[in-house]
Amino acid sequence: MADNNDNKKRSPLKSLPPDGFPLKTGLIWVAIIGAIVALFLLNPGKAPQPASLKIQQVIELAEQGLIASGAIRQDSTGGRDWSEITGETKEPILRTPPPANEPTKRFVAMGRLTESNFEVLQKTKAFDDKPSTTAMTQLLLNVLPFVIVIGLLYFLFVRQLRQAGKGALSFGKSRAKMLTRDKDRATFADVAGCDEAKEEVSEVVEFLRDPKKFQKIGGRIPKGILMVGSPGTGKTLLAKAIAGEADVPFFSISGSDFVEMFVGVGASRVRDMFEQGRKNAPCLIFIDEIDAVGRQRGAGLGGGNDEREQTLNSLLVEMDGFDTQEGVIIIAATNRPDVLDSALLRPGRFDRQVYIDLPDIIGREQILRVHGRKITLSDDVNLAIIARGTPGLSGAELANLLNEAALLAARRNKKKVEMIDVDDARDKVLWGREHRRVMDDKEKKSLAWHEAGHAVVGAVLDDGSFPVHKVTIIPRGQSLGSTTYLATKDILGRTRKQYADRVCTSMAGRIAEKMVTDDISDGASGDIKQATKIARAMVCDFGMSDLGPIAMGENQDTVFLGRDITRSQHISEDTARRVDVAVAEIISTEYKRAEQILGEHRAALDKIAAALLEHETIEGRHVLEILKDGEIKSPIVMVKLPPRQPPEAGKPAGQAAPTAPSGAPAPSPA
């Protein structure tokens, strides 16, 4: 624990600047006052309508002395000498227009007013000659349209910009979020399964804690660290742990945050991000998914992206001119290092690449223990067994596995998560959730023998590293039935025999189905695709055929990923034909081998199929017991789903069952 003196030396995190003048509130008050004035001027009230008279009638009333007051306004809309006369009589001798037809004093008259008539009205001294528009109305007519247009522009444009980019003048501001030390702090204790990566970045923590230790002997800390690894391996969490261990400000931003609809915004945000880093030094700046802005320049169809290249150039310049003595370290993460620009990876920018691989069996157990702290686990839950049965899973997938187990236990009204809940959650995560589909006896029988064929051949050919885990004819995921396997250890590589065994196992379902029904169906389409893919990889990529150790699968890679779209064909037509022949030969050989194995173990095949028709799901140990002893000796324990009832006549059926996809799933988890 650091002493109080160290805490005093560290400057507190800078708070965000206060908000500016509440312009929005002021504009709202202006709009309210303007609306009140407009209503007062344009709508004087609910007074009765004036009587409509003719010019001659007004002259007669004036000569009789019945008009108390009036006004004459010139109206150019009606032509020359056209006027509007308004006024009131001394008594309510007039009538309003129908249907009201009420007595009134007010009147209005519009028409052509001659000079003689105008003199007659002036002699009565009851009329005033007023201009057609007053100063107030003229001001409103000239200013009000501009006010309305400006208001609309503000609410339709500026207001949206304030919400999206936090102000029209802040497009170029960085969107990096500063994580607080108290709320978002993480340490190396929260990161498990990547001990080598933690050791490699630990010197960064030591430099941020005591930079003079390295500067005395002339050492230079790397300017940037690039974390490479599959999704979910903990790259972002490790970067947070570095900042938490060093107790320095941590700025987090995504590569997509530099992208905007306006040109030049990305480069401006890069400059502002580095400026913030200098003000808060020592600190860490973490850029997640840097491949969004760091792709190779001038690559792809139609040339490069100018805006993205400007952002990348700005990033290159800022990192190259960065002083390591300032104590600002850039950490980036990506799962596609092959598409990054070479200038970004050179020494002086991202000096070091830290590869975070998928956790091994020890790392998976450590990850499960970290995430298991927040979950109430039963005493029968063995995390070591779970780690051994989850090869190839990342840290995020393991966390999701425990969460699914907790949700499943809660649905079963349990107070603690038991081992059976974890097993069911693992099957759900790896191979999909069980669901019921209505099948007749013929389809069920064909499916049972299909999966029994996979199970028999898989158990016979297994060398102890990839045993049968579970066999079921209950639809799971996108398949009608499945035969699943679980590796007993981390598989780092496979031999030619192991690949051939996988092809043989894939063909077993079709063969068993044909042996019983004397017919074939499309249920083996997934098996055929998988077998063909493995066989072609053996020939083109692994050199496991008579063609020799020659790689011929370069054109099978994904092309448009930031590299040139043009590719050359490295094999001739004759070689391509020989490749097809070699692939067909592998599949044909393994097909015959599967037929031979099923013929030798026909009794076990029938018993496994019968067990599937009776119990719907059996485990791998039950398959081995049938192969060895001819019968199942271990009890079959499973959580059965309620049977699906067909809808009654006259009632809606609800959601229809999705169409069953053809083919069984892959015999191993992805």
Side-chain angles (χ1 to χ4, degrees):
M1 182 180 294
D3 54 9
N4 295 330
N5 295 329
D6 293 338
N7 294 331
K8 292 180 180 180
K9 293 179 181 179
R10 301 188 184 276
S11 59
L13 298 179
K14 297 183 179 181
S15 58
L16 296 176
D19 296 333
F21 179 77
L23 181 61
K24 181 179 178 180
T25 304
L27 290 176
I28 292 176
W29 280 107
V30 170
I32 293 174
I33 295 174
I36 294 174
V37 173
L39 290 175
F40 180 78
L41 295 176
L42 301 179
N43 189 16
K46 295 183 178 179
Q49 294 291 329
S52 180
L53 303 179
K54 297 181 179 180
I55 298 296
Q56 190 62 34
Q57 293 177 334
V58 175
I59 295 175
E60 294 177 357
L61 292 175
E63 291 177 345
Q64 297 174 9
L66 300 178
I67 296 178
S69 62
I72 303 174
R73 293 184 177 90
Q74 300 294 325
D75 190 2
S76 59
T77 58
R80 185 178 179 181
D81 298 334
W82 193 271
S83 302
E84 180 185 9
I85 304 176
T86 58
E88 292 183 359
T89 58
K90 295 180 180 179
E91 300 292 336
I93 58 179
L94 303 176
R95 295 284 180 178
T96 60
N101 202 18
E102 297 177 353
T104 182
K105 294 181 179 180
R106 299 173 61 242
F107 66 88
V108 59
M110 299 182 66
R112 191 174 303 277
L113 185 65
T114 61
E115 293 183 0
S116 58
N117 293 335
F118 181 75
E119 293 177 356
V120 173
L121 296 177
Q122 288 292 331
K123 290 181 180 180
T124 61
K125 298 181 179 181
F127 290 89
D128 297 329
D129 188 10
K130 296 184 178 180
S132 58
T133 57
T134 62
M136 179 62 70
T137 57
Q138 188 70 27
L139 180 63
L140 290 176
L141 291 175
N142 294 333
V143 177
L144 190 60
F146 294 97
V147 174
I148 294 174
V149 171
I150 294 174
L152 290 176
L153 289 177
Y154 174 78
F155 285 103
L156 296 179
F157 185 70
V158 179
R159 191 166 176 263
Q160 297 296 327
L161 296 183
R162 289 175 60 89
Q163 295 178 355
K166 297 184 179 179
L169 300 178
S170 63
F171 278 114
K173 300 295 183 180
S174 174
R175 293 186 177 183
K177 300 178 181 178
M178 179 184 291
L179 276 67
T180 60
R181 296 170 182 165
D182 298 331
K183 182 179 180 181
D184 303 308
R185 179 166 180 164
T187 61
F188 283 158
D190 301 323
V191 183
C194 53
D195 296 336
E196 294 83 1
K198 287 195 295 185
E199 293 176 0
E200 196 165 358
V201 300
S202 60
E203 59 188 43
V204 178
V205 177
E206 294 181 7
F207 175 82
L208 293 174
R209 288 177 175 175
D210 189 12
K212 296 182 180 180
K213 176 182 177 182
F214 296 86
Q215 296 172 2
K216 287 180 180 178
I217 60 176
R220 180 181 63 85
I221 201 67
K223 292 184 179 181
I225 297 176
L226 181 63
M227 295 185 179
V228 181
S230 303
T233 52
K235 300 183 293 294
T236 305
L237 182 60
L238 182 58
K240 292 182 180 179
I242 296 173
E245 290 287 340
D247 196 19
V248 296
F250 180 80
F251 292 92
S252 177
I253 191 171
S254 176
S256 60
D257 291 336
F258 296 106
V259 182
E260 192 59 74
M261 64 181 290
F262 299 102
V263 178
V265 173
S268 178
R269 288 178 177 175
V270 170
R271 294 189 293 268
D272 185 75
M273 179 186 66
F274 279 86
E275 185 65 26
Q276 291 185 24
R278 294 186 182 96
K279 293 179 180 179
N280 294 272
C283 68
L284 287 177
I285 298 178
F286 177 69
I287 306 176
D288 198 9
E289 305 297 341
I290 194 173
D291 53 278
V293 294
R295 288 178 176 262
Q296 295 181 2
R297 290 168 290 184
L301 184 63
N305 189 313
D306 293 337
E307 172 63 16
R308 190 180 67 217
E309 291 183 5
Q310 289 182 13
T311 306
L312 176 59
N313 292 334
S314 179
L315 180 63
L316 296 176
V317 171
E318 291 290 340
M319 292 190 66
D320 193 50
F322 226 48
D323 188 5
T324 57
Q325 307 301 324
E326 294 179 352
V328 181
I329 297 177
I330 309 298
I331 301 178
T334 181
N335 51 17
R336 291 302 312 277
D338 55 320
V339 302
L340 295 180
D341 195 274
S342 57
L344 196 64
L345 302 177
R346 75 160 176 83
R349 293 193 174 106
F350 284 107
D351 305 83
R352 182 175 300 178
Q353 294 188 21
V354 179
Y355 185 73
I356 304 177
D357 198 1
L358 292 173
D360 56 5
I361 183 172
I362 299 176
R364 291 194 297 272
E365 184 177 355
Q366 295 174 354
I367 294 173
L368 290 172
R369 295 190 183 280
V370 171
H371 294 289
R373 301 171 186 170
K374 304 177 182 180
I375 298 177
T376 306
L377 300 176
S378 178
D379 296 336
D380 65 336
V381 177
N382 193 334
L383 297 179
I385 296 177
I386 300 174
R388 189 166 62 249
T390 52
L393 267 65
S394 63
E397 291 172 334
L398 292 173
N400 182 52
L401 172 63
L402 291 181
N403 183 64
E404 289 288 344
L407 297 178
L408 185 60
R411 288 197 299 267
R412 296 174 178 176
N413 298 322
K414 296 181 180 180
K415 295 182 179 180
K416 294 183 178 180
V417 178
E418 300 177 355
M419 192 66 181
I420 188 173
D421 302 323
V422 179
D423 291 338
D424 294 342
R426 177 187 59 191
D427 295 343
K428 177 184 177 182
V429 171
L430 294 179
W431 303 293
R433 182 179 179 180
E434 292 184 354
H435 49 88
R436 300 285 175 169
R437 290 194 178 104
V438 180
M439 292 186 294
D440 56 20
D441 294 338
K442 184 178 180 181
E443 293 175 341
K444 211 170 184 180
K445 179 180 178 182
S446 177
L447 181 60
W449 258 269
H450 183 103
E451 300 301 334
H454 286 308
V456 170
V457 176
V460 171
L461 298 179
D462 179 48
D463 57 356
S465 61
F466 213 61
V468 178
H469 169 64
K470 186 178 293 185
V471 187
T472 181
I473 58 174
I474 298 176
R476 182 184 289 275
Q478 296 183 353
S479 62
L480 292 177
S482 59
T483 302
T484 56
Y485 305 81
L486 275 183
T488 57
K489 61 179 182 178
D490 294 330
I491 301 176
L492 303 178
R494 288 187 173 92
T495 63
R496 187 187 186 282
K497 181 180 180 304
Q498 290 176 333
Y499 280 114
D501 291 344
R502 292 187 63 185
V503 176
C504 183
T505 304
S506 300
M507 295 288 101
R510 163 66 66 88
I511 298 171
E513 183 180 344
K514 185 179 180 182
M515 291 173 60
V516 177
T517 63
D518 197 22
D519 196 3
I520 58 176
S521 66
D522 59 355
S525 61
D527 301 327
I528 296 173
K529 290 179 182 179
Q530 184 190 21
T532 305
K533 182 179 179 181
I534 296 174
R536 187 167 295 276
M538 292 173 62
V539 176
C540 298
D541 298 330
F542 308 144
M544 299 179 178
S545 67
D546 296 336
L547 297 179
I550 303 176
M552 292 170 286
E554 183 177 355
N555 288 345
Q556 298 175 0
D557 298 337
T558 303
V559 176
F560 194 72
L561 286 175
R563 301 188 182 274
D564 294 336
I565 194 170
T566 58
R567 281 192 180 252
S568 58
Q569 184 73 23
H570 296 292
I571 60 176
S572 62
E573 295 181 359
D574 182 67
T575 304
R577 181 186 59 80
R578 293 172 61 190
V579 168
D580 294 337
V581 172
V583 172
E585 184 178 355
I586 292 176
I587 295 177
S588 178
T589 302
E590 300 306 321
Y591 188 93
K592 294 178 181 178
R593 186 156 73 112
E595 283 184 331
Q596 181 180 357
I597 295 174
L598 291 177
E600 295 174 354
H601 299 84
R602 177 59 187 271
L605 175 66
D606 295 338
K607 291 184 180 180
I608 293 175
L612 289 174
L613 291 174
E614 181 181 358
H615 303 285
E616 293 186 334
T617 301
I618 61 175
E619 298 183 8
R621 67 174 183 269
H622 300 143
V623 176
L624 296 178
E625 290 173 354
I626 292 177
L627 287 172
K628 183 179 180 180
D629 303 325
E631 59 179 356
I632 297 177
K633 295 183 177 182
S634 303
I636 299 177
V637 181
M638 55 178 284
V639 180
K640 289 190 176 183
L641 296 174
R644 183 178 178 182
Q645 301 293 335
E648 298 180 4
K651 293 185 179 181
Q655 294 183 351
T659 305
S662 61
S668 59

